[in-house]
Amino acid sequence: MRIDANSLKSCRCAKPRVAVGPAISPSVGIKRRERAVNTEDIWRAADAERSGLVELLENLTASQWRHASLCPGWQVRDVVAHLAISAHAHVGRILVSLLRARGSVDRMMLDTATRHATKTDDRELLSELRSTIGSRFTAVSTTPTDRLMDLLVHGQDIAVPLGLQREMPTDAAQAALESVWNPRFPFYAATRLAPYRVRAVDTDWDKGSGPIIEGPVSALLLLATGRDSAALPHLSGEGAELLRNG
């Protein structure tokens, strides 16, 4: 697979190419923000995402597996490889991969995904992803909610460019959005969107002040994780208009 050097960004941070959004569905059991989020609820939601993604992938053609994802430089099968290997990425393997990538986390993620995808056929990748159902592993410096966020967002990275709808449960999306709403790597969401008030219309999630950006929490999660063109068609308000025109 040929990689454009200008696209060596984390798949999670990359700007998407197309403007199609996720379907919205009801809660799958994640607690609302004002109550403590139960870790097992998070894992159950993650497993629901894994199972649903396996079902989607089972019906893809070979050409769809090789279709561009929302992440520049990543095919659908590269995203699947990333999800499979990140479910058991131990410290030693991460350090070796980071050294190979000369210290760049973004380059490491791209390199490890494409290396694994290159040597693994579609059926094996699907089997590997299926085997992660029930896993409770979290890589160093990550949390169960990070795993859930990865699955929610990467599910859209796969489905959107293929023109497929993939439902994003509202409460799961809110838990993931809350986890990425901070000024830190890899998304810098709270910094990038600091000039705006960002409000969900289907939950009570509401942050900041300024020109308003509002819409389904699923679209806000895509916005917060850098999938602006997939998110903005589903968002409204003065702030959303400013982003569209920016």
Side-chain angles (χ1 to χ4, degrees):
M1 176 179 173
R2 185 177 179 181
I3 303 299
D4 183 345
N6 293 323
S7 296
L8 290 176
K9 298 180 179 180
S10 164
C11 182
R12 294 190 296 175
C13 300
K15 297 289 184 182
R17 297 190 181 93
V18 295
V20 182
I24 310 302
S25 76
S27 164
V28 293
I30 304 297
K31 305 295 185 183
R32 293 293 186 186
R33 178 62 185 169
E34 63 269 17
R35 289 174 280 171
V37 176
N38 183 284
T39 299
E40 189 53 34
D41 286 343
I42 293 290
W43 282 125
R44 279 194 291 267
D47 277 342
E49 292 304 307
R50 289 164 172 158
S51 297
L53 189 53
V54 165
E55 183 177 351
L56 181 151
L57 293 166
E58 284 175 333
N59 295 306
L60 297 189
T61 65
S63 63
Q64 287 176 313
W65 273 84
R66 285 151 186 79
H67 197 284
S69 75
L70 286 186
C71 308
W74 296 60
Q75 294 181 354
V76 165
R77 63 194 322 276
D78 299 323
V79 179
V80 178
H82 166 71
L83 289 172
I85 61 181
S86 64
H88 49 79
H90 294 281
V91 175
R93 178 179 296 180
I94 292 172
L95 290 175
V96 170
S97 299
L98 193 57
L99 286 171
R100 184 187 294 126
R102 300 187 297 280
S104 168
V105 174
D106 291 341
R107 189 185 296 271
M108 176 191 72
M109 292 176 66
L110 177 61
D111 182 59
T112 54
T114 54
R115 278 174 179 267
H116 188 66
T118 297
K119 65 183 182 182
T120 311
D121 66 30
D122 299 346
R123 183 170 297 185
E124 288 177 285
L125 287 173
L126 181 60
S127 178
E128 289 178 359
L129 182 61
R130 185 183 289 110
S131 73
T132 68
I133 298 171
S135 171
R136 298 296 183 260
F137 174 82
T138 55
V140 62
S141 299
T142 68
T143 68
T145 307
D146 292 330
R147 297 266 56 77
L148 175 60
M149 179 277 299
D150 234 24
L151 288 156
L152 289 167
V153 174
H154 285 318
Q156 300 303 319
D157 289 337
I158 291 169
V160 169
L162 294 176
L164 303 174
Q165 281 200 337
R166 178 165 168 75
E167 293 186 347
M168 191 183 294
T170 302
D171 282 357
Q174 178 169 330
L177 177 58
E178 188 66 33
S179 76
V180 301
W181 193 261
N182 60 66
R184 300 185 299 277
F185 176 87
F187 304 117
Y188 309 102
T191 300
R192 288 190 297 107
L193 298 170
Y196 306 100
R197 179 185 177 190
V198 184
R199 186 177 77 87
V201 297
D202 50 353
T203 79
D204 56 4
W205 198 90
D206 192 335
K207 301 288 185 182
S209 60
I212 193 165
I213 301 170
E214 61 182 0
V217 69
S218 57
L220 296 180
L221 176 60
L222 293 181
L223 181 69
T225 54
R227 279 76 176 166
D228 295 29
S229 66
L232 285 172
H234 304 275
L235 299 172
S236 61
E238 182 185 356
E241 194 61 29
L242 289 170
L243 289 179
R244 274 190 283 270
N245 294 332

